[in-house]
Structures are given as C-alpha cells and as structure tokens.
Amino acid sequence: MDALRPGDPARIGGHRLLGRLGAGGMGVVYLGRTEAGALAAIKVILPEYAGDEDFRTRFRREAEAARRVDSRWAVPVTGADTESETPWLATEFVPGPTLSEVVARCGPLPTRSVHVLGRLLSRALTAVHGAGLVHRDVKPGNVLLTADGPRLIDFGIARAAEATALTATGLVVGTPGFLPPEQATGAGTGAGPEGDIFSLGCLLAYAATGRPPFGSGAVDALLYRTVHDEPDLAGVDDPALRALLGECLAKDPAARPAAADLDTRIAEDVPGDGGSADWLPEDVARMIAERSAAMLALPDIEATVNTSATTPAPARRRFLALAAGGAVALGAGTFAAVRLIGDEPDGRSGASPAGRRWVIGVHADLTGAQKAAGRAQERGVRLAVDRFNSLTDKPFTLAVKVLDDGGDPARSVGVAEEFARDRDVLAVIGPTGDAATGAALPAYDEAVLPLLTVSSLQISYPARVNAAFFQASPSYAALSMPIVNRLLLRPDVERLGVLIDRSGGQAAYQAGYATNLMTPSLTTGTTHPRVVPAGTTDLGPVIADLLGHRSDALFYAGDATGGARTARALAATPFKGPSMAQHTVMRPEFLERAGESADGWEFIAPFTDAGGVSGEPGVPGAADFAAAHRKRFGAAPAAWSAEAYDVTGLVAQEVAALVGPATKDGAGPTGSPTAAPSGSTPSGGTPSAGTTSADGRPGRAALVAAIAASRYEGISRTYAFDEERQQLVGQDAHLYRAEGGRYRYLGPAPKPKS
C-alpha cells in the first residue's frame, strides 16, 4: 500500500482517506475511515472514465449487485455514490490474506479446513444466487481468510442471471483455471449459478492440493483442458471431499449441486463467534493474527497528508506493508523488485521545450529464467528513448520506468497494475515470457494501456474488450512455417521427425504441434511426431524410433539441456540429414553440453542479429544501433534488444503524431534519422477531438488505435498488425547455425517461392 499522492482527495463520501490500497487501471482503491472510526476500502473511478457512460453503467451495476448480497461470508458494501462527478463504492475493509497468498506461502490446507471453506463459501454463494446474481469469478484471489471464516469479495463482473452483459460477444469472462466449461468456451454471458459451483470446486481443489485441477500454463491449453479433460485431484485422499469435488466439477451444469445443497451436505462444524482460528493450520492463523495486529497502528495515524512527498514515513511504511493484504483483496495486487529509473545520464532526458515528460514502461523478467532476454529488451528501450530525446524540437521528452516480475505470473499481475495506475505511462514494452504475459493482460486491457511484447510467442491469447495488446513478434505457429520450409523444401527430405520435449513447457508443445500440423499443409511431406515426458534423460531410444520410421530430417522442440542430449544422441547414429531446434535452445549451455555434436544444427529465430548474437556485423541498417549499444552499455546487443528498440520507436512515432506536429529531425528513433513521422494514425498526424488530455498527453484509447493502424520500418522487420487479433503481420524470421562453438547468423529465414 502507498501513501496518498498530491492529486488524491483527502475525503470521499464521509471517509477520511488514509492511503492507497492499489488500483485496477480505471479506478483507485483507498483505505478510508468513517467519522465513527470504521475502516473501509473505497474504490474511486478516475476522472477520465467517470464521463464514459458505458463504464459508469458497469460501475453502477457492480454497486447494485454487491448491495443485494446479504451474507456474513461476503464482504458487504457500506456506501456508494455512482451518480456523483467522482463515482465511488465503499466496502468493509478486511485485513486478512487471500486464499491464493496463504496456499502459496503455507501450502495446501488440511481436509477440515477445506470442508469449512467449502461450507461457508457455499453460504456466500447461496446469498449471491438468492439475490438473482451470478458471481462469475470465484477464485482464490477473491477469498479472504479471517479467524472466524472466509469472505467472498469482488462483484466487479457479477451480473443478474437474466441481464445482458456489457462485454464483447465470445469474451471469456473470469479467470482461466477456475472457469466452468460453459464460460471457457466463450459462452460466458450465458453462464448461470452452476458455473459458480464449478469454480468453487476448482477453488477447493486448489486449497486441498496447492494447484488448480486443470493445471496452469498457456491460456488456450488451460481452457481446452477445462472443457475436455478430467480434473487432477491427486492428493485429495478424503473420500467424501473427493466425491464432493467430483460433483462440483461435472462438465454438465445440471449435474452439479446447488450452493444451498452443499451447505447441508458438508457436515464439518464451522468456527464459532469467538473469532477462534482453530479451523486453520497454525502458520495460517499466525498470518491472520499479524494482519489483524497491524490495525493497531491506525490510531497513531494523524491528519491525512497528500500534498508532500509520496514516500511514507518509516513508522507509517511498516503499517502500510502489513496492511497490504487488503489491497490484494480489492484486485490491486502486489509486486516486488521494483526499479524506477527516470532521467538518463548525460542529460538525455532533459525536459522538452513544451515541458512535457512522459514514460515508456518496461515489464520484464530481470531476475528469473529469462533475465538475459529481459535485460536485452530493457537496453533496447533505453536506446530508443535516448534516440528520441536527442532530437531537436521534440514535442515531449520520454523517460523509462522498469519493473521486474522475475518471470512469476503472480508478480506479473502486480507489475501490470502498477503500470496501469501510473497515468504518465503511455505504453509498456513486455512482458518477457508467455505465462507472465497471459497473467498481466487483464490489467492492461482494463486500463486500455498499450502493451507490446516482442518475446511472448503464444499462439493465441483470449480476446480482450479493449484490444490494447500487440504481439509484435511471430507466434510459434508463424515460426513453424519457415521451419517447415527450411527442412522439407529440398529433394532429399520426405519425412520430418518431430521431437517434442515437455521439459520445454508450453513453448515446446506449441512449436512442435504447429510444425507437425503445418508440414502436410505446406508440403507433400509427412511427419513422425514423438512426445517425451519432462525430465527424460536418455533420448537414444526416441532418436532410434524417429530414424526407424524413415525420418529424413529432425526438428527438436524443447530446452537447451534437452537439445544438447538430442544432439549427442543423434551424433551417435549414422544420420546425416538436416537437424533443427527451436530457438529456445539457442543458449550457451547448448553449445557447452553438446560440444562438437552441436555443429550443423540450425535454428529459426524470431529475433534478428544486430551485431551481437553471432559476433558478426549483423543485419543491414543495424550498424548505428550496435555502435550506440556498445557505447552505452559496453557490450554488443543481445537477442531481443533490437526488437525492443523498434517497438519503442513505433510508440514514439505514434505519440508524436497524436500530440503535435512532426519534428524536423524525425520523431521515430530508427537506426538512422528519419523524415517526419508518417500519417500512420487515422488523423494523419493531426490529433482529432478527444485524442489528448488537457495537458496534451495522448489518451490511451487513441494511442491503442494509432498503434493498431501503424506501419513502422524497424531495423529488425516492418511492423504492422492484423485487424482481428493485433498480431504481427508477416512471417519474417531469422536463420542461425551452430558452428565451432558459436551461433552464426545466416540471414533471413527462407520463404516459399510461390
């Protein structure tokens, strides 16, 4: 939780505001206290959205829905004003941790705890359904734990069962992994109370096992498993609980019990009114006690201050940290390892003549498994900002804000929410990985904050209402086309052996599956696919099987370790045909572990060589970029740096076109100075009504539209996006080969002649 900012109000609807619990992009959530001393969480709509009638209608519906639910086990609404100039909604403040936080820190709950959780949440849902509502987002993050029982929160997407939803047709509403099949198929607008029971079953299975019953990973695969696969209930040893979960998780909505029936069927005693937490393990009870004890700090907080620095005083900061559990409850999220870097060295980010200074966000993995790619992208963004800020007569100045999610999807959500509530952030570059991107999308979409990823290659993501997401790199499916062209469009290859190593996760599965699927579509050849479980160390029998089925070429989809094992196993055979691995294998450990067996292996990669990947001059037009990179960072550019540089230039071009006349030196930070920005926006570079705010800052929705219609010539490729899914148009990719202990850049990946 943060202190109040200078622009925040001191009071809302009879509440004195004490601090910020968080934000969800279109609203800020404050911790407030009434004159009587009661604490409340107050959601306030941001001014720029308060005038949007559609959004105000949604907010009004949320308030009305929440007011109609009367249950001790659902957090009550304590006040609201949806018609005022600044609409707001207040609920009781509950300092307890979320179920997701408890399971992540303390592990699965014992059987009795799960039974109590199920019985009391069924009572909450009985009240929800009795009010004629469907919650539609029952998940661990929407359940708070207290000493006397759980509390169901967040009716932001609840609606009357007979109402017409204010969402796009086919939109998946809710949280993948906890959705019923009828919502996972895109029919969420028709989901009834039975859907909440399925979600409750997923939640209870998660509480009992520590994992969602349909797994995790890529959203499309997760939704597929929800619709077609049986739930994974391994670890649920209690027969009664297992049987109950099986009924709740029935694919047929009519086969699921009603919420009121669950209350009577679960025989576990519920906690008494004394506030005892004996229904929970000791470590969880301790977490709850710590959060409750933090409330004792409140009487020491004096008059609200919101006109000075935004950093809390040391004594107050301790309370804000302890009280952060309530922020999670309200959808604000938390995150760690934050780095905010504004002014650049050497005066590169000095104020523009107009005094306007805005921010490009970098959402990256800087400390996790993909930290090399994350760091490369951060550097590319910084060079693009340097380039823009060096221009004369620029209409504004750019700064860089970097947040690290460590590759953790849960932290990625918090990073996205932090960017979403920072109104100076124009657009965000990232995240680095597929899972982090999927987790962050809802927050960016709700805020209509443009998000451009260059390294998240998942084949598909759920369509969002505001379409603020741009996949600025070829997907695994798009990359499969040049893979097939390279391996099969030759006279000596008729059958491709496809080895999918599940150690590579969803990236390996999607790349291998797409290559197998595309082979008969693009060529007259055939495939022999093999899938090996994660952790398989002896790949010799698999290689023998592939060659025994007359495979003339081999494609490996997996990670660097498995790729090295495959290369060594293949080198021990007489096989002399072409062999290729997924670009995720292109790491130093592949060369180190495969040794001489790596020589000759090729890779189709979505990233270009700007003079650093192979150590050679790199692609044409990248010399200036490579020189600037070496000067700024003392090293050659790594993979993904040029792509991040390009998309930052694209954003700068479109912002400049929206907010003012083109600069005479060119607004786009391309590899060499350009002409004035082209009229790539619908207005041709002249802002139309409603595209900018009073201070000249471009509206986020206007910038999303401009990016969607843009065309940008970068040093790595030409950037343009298709209208339907806003994915990168084209199949441009790059070809590398392992030679003598290094990766050699061979040039653009091959394309079919016709």
Side-chain angles (χ1 to χ4, degrees), residues 392-410:
T392 59
D393 299 330
K394 54 186 174 292
F396 53 88
T397 300
L398 290 175
V400 181
K401 178 176 180 177
V402 182
L403 300 181
D404 173 23
D405 65 21
D408 179 0

Side-chain angles (χ1 to χ4, degrees), residues 64-83:
E64 293 172 353
R67 281 181 179 273
R68 289 159 61 182
V69 177
D70 182 14
S71 172
R72 175 182 176 184
W73 313 113
V75 174
V77 170
T78 58
D81 187 346
T82 61
E83 308 305 323

Side-chain angles (χ1 to χ4, degrees), residues 488 494-498 515-520 525-529 551:
L488 284 136
E494 289 293 333
R495 174 167 293 191
L496 174 63
V498 180
T515 300
N516 183 64
L517 185 67
M518 289 294 179
T519 296
T526 59
T527 63
H528 180 64
S551 296

Side-chain angles (χ1 to χ4, degrees), residues 298-590:
L298 279 173
D300 297 329
I301 299 177
E302 299 302 330
T304 300
V305 177
N306 64 348
T307 57
S308 58
T310 60
T311 303
R316 189 179 184 207
R317 189 182 298 116
R318 177 176 179 274
F319 160 70
L320 297 180
L322 288 170
V328 180
L330 293 153
T334 56
F335 64 93
V338 176
R339 300 193 306 112
L340 170 58
I341 301 173
D343 292 340
E344 304 291 349
D346 305 325
R348 280 185 284 262
S349 278
S352 66
R356 297 180 292 191
R357 181 175 179 274
W358 299 317
V359 176
I360 300 292
V362 180
H363 182 158
D365 175 1
L366 301 177
T367 54
Q370 294 182 279
K371 60 184 178 183
R375 180 66 66 197
Q377 292 176 34
E378 177 195 349
R379 290 179 170 183
V381 173
R382 292 194 180 284
L383 284 179
V385 167
D386 287 352
R387 165 68 182 148
F388 181 86
N389 289 341
S390 70
L391 301 174
T392 59
D393 299 330
K394 54 186 174 292
F396 53 88
T397 300
L398 290 175
V400 181
K401 178 176 180 177
V402 182
L403 300 181
D404 173 23
D405 65 21
D408 179 0
R411 285 172 58 180
S412 180
V413 174
V415 167
E417 289 169 343
E418 166 64 13
F419 276 131
R421 64 177 177 256
D422 187 339
R423 304 310 301 168
D424 287 334
V425 175
L426 300 176
V428 175
I429 313 302
T432 311
D434 297 328
T437 299
L441 281 184
Y444 286 114
D445 185 72
E446 182 182 354
V448 202
L449 177 57
L451 178 71
L452 299 91
T453 180
V454 298
S455 57
S456 298
L457 312 183
Q458 190 167 295
I459 291 176
S460 65
Y461 293 91
R464 309 306 304 182
V465 173
N466 295 306
F469 173 56
F470 298 89
Q471 195 172 17
S473 189
S475 69
Y476 298 117
L479 289 174
S480 71
M481 298 179 189
I483 290 171
V484 171
N485 291 335
R486 178 67 174 177
L487 290 174
L488 284 136
L489 295 185
R490 56 178 80 193
D492 57 337
V493 175
E494 289 293 333
R495 174 167 293 191
L496 174 63
V498 180
L499 175 53
I500 302 173
D501 187 345
R502 296 308 294 263
S503 294
Q506 282 294 319
Y509 176 78
Q510 292 193 22
Y513 176 80
T515 300
N516 183 64
L517 185 67
M518 289 294 179
T519 296
S521 300
L522 300 174
T523 74
T524 58
T526 59
T527 63
H528 180 64
R530 281 294 304 270
V531 180
V532 298
T536 302
T537 57
D538 184 6
L539 293 175
V542 182
I543 296 299
D545 176 76
L546 291 171
L547 300 184
H549 283 80
R550 305 186 309 280
S551 296
D552 306 308
L554 177 69
F555 174 66
Y556 170 84
D559 60 9
T561 300
R565 292 189 182 119
T566 303
R568 292 197 304 269
L570 192 63
T573 73
F575 180 80
K576 301 299 180 185
S579 51
M580 179 176 286
Q582 187 180 11
H583 73 275
T584 53
V585 175
M586 282 184 64
R587 298 172 64 92
E589 51 262 40
F590 171 75

Side-chain angles (χ1 to χ4, degrees), residues 588-645:
E589 51 262 40
F590 171 75
L591 299 174
E592 296 167 1
R593 297 178 182 181
E596 294 181 356
S597 301
D599 284 354
W601 277 74
E602 293 184 346
F603 309 86
I604 297 293
F607 48 78
T608 190
D609 183 15
V613 178
S614 67
E616 297 179 355
V619 296
D624 290 347
F625 167 76
H629 195 286
R630 288 187 177 91
K631 179 180 179 181
R632 175 78 190 272
F633 303 110
W640 303 113
S641 186
E643 286 73 19
Y645 177 86

Side-chain angles (χ1 to χ4, degrees), residues 137-159:
D137 200 20
V138 178
K139 62 181 180 180
N142 278 342
V143 173
L144 298 175
L145 299 185
T146 71
D148 64 352
R151 300 291 190 276
L152 181 64
I153 64 167
D154 198 352
F155 293 84
I157 62 174
R159 69 179 182 91

Side-chain angles (χ1 to χ4, degrees), residues 35-238:
E35 296 297 334
L39 292 174
I42 306 145
K43 179 187 289 187
V44 179
I45 297 302
L46 294 172
E48 52 264 48
Y49 298 109
D52 184 329
E53 189 54 39
D54 286 342
F55 186 84
R56 188 182 282 267
T57 299
R58 290 171 55 196
F59 187 68
R60 184 183 301 118
R61 187 188 65 193
E62 176 183 348
E64 293 172 353
R67 281 181 179 273
R68 289 159 61 182
V69 177
D70 182 14
S71 172
R72 175 182 176 184
W73 313 113
V75 174
V77 170
T78 58
D81 187 346
T82 61
E83 308 305 323
S84 69
E85 183 177 352
T86 306
W88 59 271
L89 170 72
T91 62
E92 177 184 303
F93 177 73
V94 179
T98 63
L99 175 61
S100 55
E101 182 182 0
V102 165
V103 172
R105 288 183 54 180
C106 305
L109 297 179
T111 299
R112 184 191 174 223
S113 299
V114 178
H115 275 128
V116 172
L117 193 65
R119 188 169 194 183
L120 297 184
L121 289 178
S122 72
R123 293 181 181 179
L125 288 176
T126 298
V128 171
H129 300 161
L133 302 174
V134 184
H135 189 285
R136 300 202 300 168
D137 200 20
V138 178
K139 62 181 180 180
N142 278 342
V143 173
L144 298 175
L145 299 185
T146 71
D148 64 352
R151 300 291 190 276
L152 181 64
I153 64 167
D154 198 352
F155 293 84
I157 62 174
R159 69 179 182 91
E162 73 284 355
T164 300
L166 295 173
T167 52
T169 301
L171 177 67
V172 176
V173 180
T175 303
F178 299 90
L179 289 173
E182 56 269 31
Q183 279 181 255
T185 56
T189 58
E194 302 86 358
D196 285 345
I197 300 302
F198 188 95
S199 298
L200 178 62
C202 293
L203 179 148
L204 296 177
Y206 171 85
T209 66
R211 64 184 185 280
F214 297 98
S216 57
V219 172
D220 55 345
L222 182 55
L223 296 178
Y224 180 90
R225 291 194 296 269
T226 300
V227 175
H228 299 284
D229 293 356
E230 292 302 312
D232 177 10
L233 299 179
V236 182
D237 298 324
D238 180 72

